[in-house]
Amino acid sequence: MLGLLLLQVLASCLWLGHSEVVTPFDSCPQFFYAGIPPNDALNPKNPAWICQHFSNSFRYATLYDIDRRIPVYSAYKYQPGFGNSPHLWWFVEPQLINPAYSKDMATEMYIEKTYHITLQQIGQNQAITQDYQNLQGLDRGQLCPIVHQSGDNNKTATFTLTNIVPQNSILLEGAWKEYEKKTMAQNTQGCTTTYVITGAVPGDNYISNNRVNVPSHIWSAACCLGDEKPTKAWGAIAENNMNEVTVSSLGELEEELSKLYPGKTVTLFDDACPRE
């Protein structure tokens, strides 16, 4: 399990967090309806299951693709609201470097000084800050977005590179932003709890000297509960080179993802979430 706890160390101007590695989401099933994550159709060859932990609480869950250095998906509860994010740096996971390293998430500078390793070693199994510098037509896209969280801690917890993919800049600030803010607000009317899984389909292109994959598609699925039972569900998907989002039923999204992952049948939520 990789979790996240972030503390500001004033003397050194470094931020630290808490993280540890486990097998599939044993410590954070609460971010999936009925505690059931998507089936293994989305699993990459070299996965890391991350329970993102910040300030003494789990905030969301992420399946990470170590080889492509992008998240496959992040799962969370939709809880938009007020809050400030004192975001100063991007963070990396020490245990993706060496399982014997600290469970505390830290900045690259802190890890370099503490373990006397190079930036190249830090970035062997994950993206690092310099991978996202000087992007052309792309920007950092959060799968668990800050706008779907409330409170300082929940918002700050979204700023980790294990939650980031290279997303088309126009899409990110255009149709995808419209979906995140307006469509989600409209569709969740009457929902007591909404579970969300947002992911990225690996593409054929890379940035940063073929280190970080550029997804071909960005997608999101939601299951809305009225009281304690699912009452409706939906999906959305966008090609990562066009400013257009297609909103569909959950079943239609799963069918589309099954086509994008040939030979596999994708199931995102427990069967109780409506597919029509």
Side-chain angles (χ1 to χ4, degrees), residues 28-133:
C28 55
Q30 67 268 32
F31 298 110
F32 304 93
Y33 172 66
I36 301 174
N39 67 348
D40 61 7
L42 299 177
N43 289 9
K45 291 181 180 179
N46 196 6
W49 289 271
I50 305 173
C51 288
Q52 305 281 10
H53 190 272
F54 180 79
S55 190
N56 299 316
S57 295
F58 292 113
R59 307 294 172 173
Y60 59 100
T62 300
L63 175 61
Y64 193 71
D65 186 337
I66 291 175
D67 293 335
R68 295 184 176 94
R69 298 183 180 87
I70 57 170
V72 177
Y73 61 74
S74 286
Y76 57 95
K77 292 181 181 179
Y78 176 75
Q79 47 186 7
F82 295 105
N84 296 313
S85 173
H87 167 59
L88 299 176
W89 297 281
W90 292 98
F91 301 96
V92 294
E93 300 287 353
Q95 289 199 330
L96 285 180
I97 306 164
N98 186 330
Y101 283 2
S102 170
K103 297 176 181 179
D104 291 339
M105 179 182 290
T107 62
E108 295 157 9
M109 183 184 298
Y110 176 84
I111 295 173
E112 285 179 298
K113 290 183 177 180
T114 301
Y115 299 106
H116 307 288
I117 62 174
T118 65
L119 195 59
Q120 183 179 6
Q121 289 172 296
I122 296 173
Q124 183 175 352
N125 293 327
Q126 62 190 306
I128 53 178
T129 304
Q130 71 179 26
D131 289 324
Y132 283 90
Q133 293 177 349

